[in-house]
Each structure stands twice: as structure tokens, then as C-alpha cells.
Amino acid sequence: MTTTPPPRTVFTAEDYRARMARAVDAATRAGLAGVLVAPGPDLAHLTGYTPPADTERLTLLVLTPEREPVLVVPALEAGEIAHATGAAALTLRDWKDGADPYALAAPLLSASGRYAVSDSTWALHLLGLQRARPGTSYAALTDALPMLRAVKDARELELMAAAGAAADATYEEILTVRFAGRKEREVARDLAALLRHFGHSQVDFTIVGSGPNGADPHHEAGDRVIAHGDMVVMDFGGLKDGYGSDTTRTVHVGEPTPAEQHVHDVVREAQRAGVEAVRPGVACQEVDRAAREIIEEAGYGDLFIHRTGHGIGVTTHEPPYMVEGEELPLVPGMCFSVEPGIYLPGRFGVRIEDIVAVTEDGGRRLNTSGRAMALVE
């Protein structure tokens, strides 16, 4: 197998400058004074900078309509920012150990402003800002600006499609390995190796649930030995060139029983219905309803125990969510999973998942591998 290539740099400083400007515009329309972004996926999306998220030192992007974007950063990490493509669009305010970074950040904030704060911000840092600017208030970025990363541009969609194609290639290749007599974790290792072989720099999950373990949607691949006659749920994905893949297929070791084939057929039809419900202006919940209706009509409604989908982009799980009660309308450029499932405790489970991108007149699958039940050895 080939070595995984490093993520490509495909965005320019102007791309990042435009993203930050759109974030400020969105905050203004929402009645907010600005956006505060700590290390995590939002910072990577807005600036191309990916410092460690697990640090007690404050790194904070401050986006407000009054000034150009400012990045408050530890002095010892300031040199790393030069490697980020979006660095040219930022003004740096660095601070040294022993100084108070919140006192440095406070003048950048309105004394009584309300700010959207990235979900990954440590409570330590948020409390520090509140002490330094006691009149400020804050809202979670996901709640206040749910569309910030939801709509992908043309270049992002290309990367999403490439990640999906790599996941499809992984699936096609895994069908050639032996399942019977091997442990779930061994097949999971094969999936991870194949994802990397086909260009993923990061593997986020490789779920392999065989037989009764398939009835647990988030089963961790373990030491159960896969046997002839097992249904096997495989859910796998990660990041390729900074954008996510996530796909699920359910295969069978040997010939399925009529009951197993029937359940698989129901899930396949539900997944088709969910995808066909995708079009601009439709509420997210309608995708969930379309898939769920098929499963309920078949008598398995109580066995479909999770939402139909989640957004995906620079992380493998992010807004929007295809779930009852989510009335956010679909917009061209949104990408999310459609993944209905049926889970029969103690017996087996079935899930089928594709990533779908909203187009001007419908939806486009970013996964094209076969959804019929594949038979493996």
C-alpha cells in the first residue's frame, strides 16, 4: 500500500478572508456583536490554522465588524501561524507566558456585546473573557450561526466528492477480503488501512458489527469472530485533504435468510426515499420523515432508533441534522448523511449510508458504491 499523502493546500488567503467576512455578516444579521473562535474545526475552516485544541494557553480569533480579523495567540506558537494559508488575512496579537491573555483580548470586545463562541472553546477561556469583560454575553456558535460551515463552495464540494470516492474504493476493496473466521477488529484494521491507502490522512471510525453486534449502531469492533451466516454492518470514514467521508454498508457472510433480505430491502428503500426527499427549501426534518415512513410502514418503526442524518465537512459530524423538529431549510451546497437503519436486538442490524450534497434542483449522492446486499466469504 502507498503512503498517505499530506493534505493538499487548495484554498487561498482570499478564500479565508471571504469566509471570515461572511461570518461577520452572518453575526450582524443575527444581532450579534461578533464571533469568537478557539482552536477546532471552526478555526481551521475560517483561517486554515490548526493549532492544538488541548492547550490551556488562549488562542482566539476575534471577528467583529469594527476591525480586521485579529488572532490572539501565545507568543511561543506565533511562528507556526506563518504556515497557515489564511495568515495573510489576520492581524496577530501575541502574548507571553505570565501575561494575562484575557486582558489582551478584552479591548477587542464591545463592553456589552453578545458574541457567538465556537463550540470547542474551553470553559476556562470563556470564563476568563467574562471576568475581563463582565458586560459581555455569549451564545454557542452552532445555535447562533448554524449555517456557518453548512454550505460548501465549489472547491469544497470537489473535496467532499473525492473523500466519498475514496470511501467507495475502500468498500469495494474490503469485499475481497475474508470475513468468516476473523475478528471484527481485524476487519476494522483492514478498513482503516484501506482508507489511508486511498488518500485519507485521518481515520475517525471503523465500525464493524457482526451478527447481534450489528444491532448496536455505534458498536466498537471487538474480538467477536465473524461466522458464516452473519450480517455485518460496516460504518467507516475520516478526513481526506481536510474534508470528511462517512459511509455504511451492510453485507452478509454467505446467503441471507429471507427475513434478513427483507429487512435489508426495507432499509435500502428507506434510504432511497430519504435521498429523493432532498431539494432546496425542504426542511431537514422532511428527509428524516421520508426515510422513517418507509420503515414504519414495514412495521419496524420502533427499531429505527437514531436520526436519519448529520452534516459533514471539515469534521465527520456537524450541523445540519436530519431529525424531527429541525426546520432549517436545505440550501444548495449543504452536505449530510442519509443513513436509516433497523436494529433487531440479539439478532442483527442493517444500516445503509451515503453522503448527499444539495444541488439547485435536488440532491447528489457523493457515494456511488452498490447498496444491494453484498455477499462475502
Side-chain angles (χ1 to χ4, degrees):
M1 291 188 179
T2 59
T3 302
T4 301
R8 293 180 293 156
T9 301
V10 296
F11 301 109
T12 67
E14 287 306 309
D15 291 328
Y16 291 118
R17 193 187 305 277
R19 289 180 186 178
M20 288 187 279
R22 287 195 295 271
V24 171
D25 290 343
T28 300
R29 291 194 302 272
L32 298 167
V35 182
L36 308 179
V37 185
D42 294 308
L43 187 64
H45 173 74
L46 290 167
T47 70
Y49 180 46
T50 55
D54 57 343
T55 176
E56 75 283 0
R57 293 184 173 94
L58 178 70
T59 295
L60 189 72
L61 175 66
V62 181
L63 300 177
T64 65
E66 294 83 21
R67 58 175 56 86
E68 291 298 304
V70 177
L71 185 66
V72 177
V73 61
L76 63 88
E77 295 174 9
E80 292 299 315
I81 299 171
H83 302 296
T85 306
L90 298 169
T91 298
L92 298 186
R93 300 278 183 89
D94 63 1
W95 60 278
K96 296 179 180 179
D97 283 355
D100 182 353
Y102 311 109
L104 178 65
L108 303 175
L109 309 184
S110 169
S112 59
R114 182 169 178 79
Y115 293 87
V117 181
S118 60
D119 297 358
S120 58
T121 304
W122 281 26
L124 170 73
H125 299 320
L126 184 57
L127 291 170
L129 290 172
Q130 288 177 319
R131 286 194 303 271
R133 270 290 199 231
T136 54
S137 60
Y138 304 91
L141 186 58
T142 293
D143 293 334
L145 302 176
M147 298 292 283
L148 182 67
R149 302 199 322 257
V151 179
K152 277 66 177 176
D153 63 26
R155 192 176 288 114
E156 288 179 295
L157 289 171
E158 290 176 2
L159 293 172
M160 291 292 303
D168 287 343
T170 294
Y171 174 66
E172 296 297 339
E173 190 69 22
I174 201 70
L175 295 180
T176 68
V177 310
R178 184 165 185 81
F179 281 66
R182 301 180 69 211
K183 295 178 180 179
E184 293 172 340
R185 67 171 72 253
E186 293 174 322
V187 176
R189 281 198 294 267
D190 288 344
L191 284 169
L194 287 167
L195 284 169
R196 294 189 178 96
H197 173 69
F198 289 111
H200 280 62
S201 59
Q202 177 177 314
V203 176
D204 286 348
F205 48 87
T206 52
I207 293 171
V208 178
S210 64
N213 289 341
D216 176 1
H218 284 172
H219 171 69
E220 292 283 344
D223 289 329
R224 184 182 187 276
V225 177
I226 301 170
H228 186 83
D230 277 348
M231 194 87 86
V232 183
V233 179
M234 295 183 293
D235 185 343
F236 50 94
L239 299 183
K240 180 181 185 296
D241 293 321
Y243 282 78
S245 70
D246 186 0
T247 190
T248 307
R249 294 293 185 263
T250 303
V251 302
H252 199 278
V253 185
E255 291 289 335
T257 66
E260 290 170 330
Q261 185 65 60
H262 174 67
V263 172
H264 193 281
D265 290 345
V266 171
V267 173
R268 186 180 177 191
E269 175 63 16
Q271 208 260 354
R272 180 200 61 77
V275 172
E276 291 186 354
V278 175
R279 60 185 182 277
V282 168
C284 291
Q285 67 181 1
E286 295 302 328
V287 178
D288 182 86
R289 288 174 176 177
R292 200 167 298 277
E293 181 180 12
I294 300 296
I295 292 176
E296 288 176 345
E297 288 180 351
Y300 298 103
D302 291 342
L303 301 176
F304 180 12
I305 56 177
H306 55 73
R307 64 196 176 203
T308 293
H310 58 82
I312 185 171
V314 294
T315 61
T316 48
H317 287 75
E318 62 186 43
Y321 299 103
M322 307 302 113
V323 65
E324 182 66 31
E326 179 52 82
E327 297 181 351
L328 188 73
L330 300 182
V331 176
M334 279 184 173
C335 296
F336 49 84
S337 66
V338 178
E339 50 177 308
I342 294 175
Y343 308 94
L344 288 79
R347 297 175 61 192
F348 62 89
V350 175
R351 184 166 65 257
I352 300 173
E353 174 185 16
D354 291 324
I355 300 303
V356 177
V358 183
T359 65
E360 295 295 333
D361 57 2
R364 174 170 70 101
R365 294 181 192 262
L366 300 185
N367 294 106
T368 59
S369 58
R371 284 167 287 280
M373 191 194 305
L375 306 184
V376 296
E377 296 182 354

